[in-house]
Amino acid sequence: MYIPTPLDTQLLRDRAAQLAGQIERNRSGQLSDDHLRPLRLQNGLYLQRHAPMLRIAIAYGMLRSDQLRGLAAVARRYDRAYGHFTTRQNLQLNWISVDDTPRALADLAEVGLHGIQSSGNCLRNITSDVLAGIAQDEILDPRPYAELLRQWSTFHPELSFLPRKFKVALTGTPEDRALAQVHDLAFEVVRADPEAVFRVRVGGGLGRTPILGPILKEELHWSDLLSYTHAVMRVYNEVGRRDNLTKARIKILVKTLGIDAFRDLVEEAWLSLRDGAAKLASQDLQRVCAQFQEPDWLHGAALTSEPFGDDVALHAEWSRWLQRNRHSIRHKGYAAVLIPLKGGQRAPGDASSDEMERIADLADQFSQGFVRVSHAQDLVLPAVVERDLPALFLALRALGLHRSVGGLIGDMVACPGGDYCSLANARSIPIAQEIAARYESLDRQESIGPLDLRISGCMNSCGHHHIGHIGILGVDKDGAAYYQLLLGGHSGHGAPAALGSVIGKAFAEDEIADAVEEVLDLYLELRLPGEPFRRTVERLGKEVFAQAADRVRRPADGHAPGSSTVFDQALLKTQADT
């Protein structure tokens, strides 16, 4: 990962001091609240439902152990001793004060962290695959290119006051683990030899109008990464809507113009930018790569024995953990280990300061000080010697961070929702907690198999509900919180991305967990042997699941008139397919 230079650190110190001055001028009446707003947002400072919130950028999800300790320290010193890891590889502090924010950012500057461009109408924190650089199927490590883009875009005046926020992702694998298709701009490596070439997507996004980003350019040489991005942003700046907040995202511009017309505008803008100051040369890439610090991969050792064979219960626990939370990587004798921040009464993605410090200790002990943040609100240790996996398992077990839920319903994603966010229509955390309690049993989770459940408290889709196998969206209905149920989504991990759609009417807060359970019970009844949930939904259609969910609103003595026909047809189809 990239190690900040002394200049990087000084820039972050200066930015924290600048924000302190802006807040002081606001307090003294020299700077209005309206003028302060874009300035504080570009440093990650929001005013939320109950208190200010500080969003801290974690560039393409990479952390060192000292940075994780730094996050733990500011959470303890300036907040309530916990933080929330988000679906865009950031950390949020939900109870910080405005006056404490510059002090927190000054502390974070010393470990190379900040809140710059994590909010506001600018190019946001750049994200990538949690396994970037170590994935077995990787064509090219995208992180140095993400770092080049990050350095160029930070403080860029033309990218600081866009029509709306702008999210960018890079991925280096054929399989999309970076959610590339739901970003405003995304770069997918298509080949590395003789030099890196990217496919470019534009106009993806979720929210009120979910769209999978179409291909803007099939092949872009890496040296044109910055200039082409600049051309896209220039067109967006000049043509994008600024008079209507709901129509200001670039996805609406692309959809309105059409991808071909938008491409023509970008190519025209690129003519004057392609060979300018943003043209990259090999020395630019070498400069960034020289600042990368990577694990020493020379001392891998395989797991050669069964460590807990004499303890039947512990052996079963270990076997599950090894299957669900260990990821094979390209380096022999090493593995990446998932640390789920899920389960029990924990809000998905939350970690206490104590937990962050303990995980930082484990990173030093088992992963050469490296940690990563995933889009699914979990942490990953990317460089664990396989021989050390039993010791790491026991250490995580002692902390209660060993739950074997990778890829299962227990690893659900949820935004903070109405408990914190001023934009939310409904609470997300209690729904996640109730569903987690119902599926606390790992046996029950494994009986369902792979399942991606995602919950958002409003249509902004911070919980990515559109791309979950099951999505839950909080909506307002005459002043009361209700929840829509979506089926058919997919994040692109293991298959092409797909957007889910709403089935039926919204459910009351005390009905939505029952509705999810009805859907999953029907799946278990009608699936073919080995058939995952999303395949069953594709095979049988969503209507049969919609009617199953509707049972929670109807008398327990049967279906609504005519509904049995749908179930009978689904059962007959399953019998025929079997």
Side-chain angles (χ1 to χ4, degrees), residues 35-102:
H35 285 105
L36 177 65
R37 185 176 184 273
L39 302 175
R40 62 171 170 78
L41 285 174
Q42 288 181 17
N43 286 284
L45 179 59
Y46 282 83
L47 300 183
Q48 293 288 75
R49 187 178 295 273
H50 303 296
M53 179 268 282
L54 176 62
R55 181 179 293 147
I56 300 158
I58 301 172
Y60 37 95
M62 303 290 125
L63 281 174
R64 304 187 310 270
S65 58
D66 65 313
Q67 292 178 317
L68 188 54
R69 290 190 186 93
L71 293 171
V74 297
R76 182 181 288 114
R77 187 174 300 128
Y78 304 110
D79 205 278
R80 296 187 177 179
Y82 77 96
H84 173 75
F85 289 96
T86 77
T87 53
R88 295 207 73 253
Q89 298 175 312
N90 297 305
L91 181 90
Q92 293 180 179
L93 301 180
N94 290 314
W95 298 95
I96 195 168
S97 73
V98 171
D99 291 337
D100 278 340
T101 298

Side-chain angles (χ1 to χ4, degrees), residues 483-542:
Y483 297 85
Q484 293 178 339
L485 193 61
L486 294 84
L487 295 180
H490 191 62
S491 67
H493 185 181
L499 298 172
S501 57
V502 176
I503 60 167
K505 297 179 181 179
F507 296 89
E509 188 168 357
D510 60 355
E511 295 173 338
I512 185 61
D514 291 334
V516 170
E517 192 165 11
E518 289 284 356
V519 165
L520 291 176
D521 285 348
L522 183 65
Y523 158 65
L524 292 174
E525 180 182 346
L526 296 180
R527 68 180 174 183
L528 299 175
E531 185 178 49
F533 174 79
R534 66 184 188 86
R535 293 296 187 197
T536 304
V537 172
E538 289 174 0
R539 180 173 58 84
L540 298 179
K542 297 173 186 175

Side-chain angles (χ1 to χ4, degrees), residues 3 85 212 217 235 276 368 466:
I3 305 300
F85 289 96
L212 298 179
K217 195 172 186 64
V235 171
Q368 300 182 51
H466 287 107

Side-chain angles (χ1 to χ4, degrees), residues 116 172 238 354 511 551:
I116 299 168
E238 293 177 350
D354 287 346
E511 295 173 338
R551 290 170 177 165

Side-chain angles (χ1 to χ4, degrees), residues 303-376:
L303 180 66
T304 57
S305 61
E306 195 59 66
F308 308 113
D310 295 335
D311 188 326
V312 175
L314 186 60
H315 173 75
E317 210 174 339
W318 151 258
S319 297
R320 270 178 165 161
W321 179 85
L322 199 64
Q323 178 188 4
R324 292 290 172 192
N325 293 10
R326 172 195 173 277
H327 295 290
S328 297
I329 63 174
R330 68 193 316 163
H331 300 285
K332 187 176 181 180
Y334 288 88
V337 172
L338 174 71
I339 304 177
L341 301 178
K342 312 290 170 62
Q345 290 303 298
R346 181 195 302 271
D350 278 9
S352 70
S353 291
D354 287 346
E355 287 174 331
M356 285 188 265
E357 288 169 344
R358 299 292 81 76
I359 293 169
D361 292 341
L362 294 179
D364 285 337
Q365 184 178 355
F366 294 103
S367 188
Q368 300 182 51
F370 293 95
V371 189
R372 299 185 177 191
V373 184
S374 79
H375 288 285

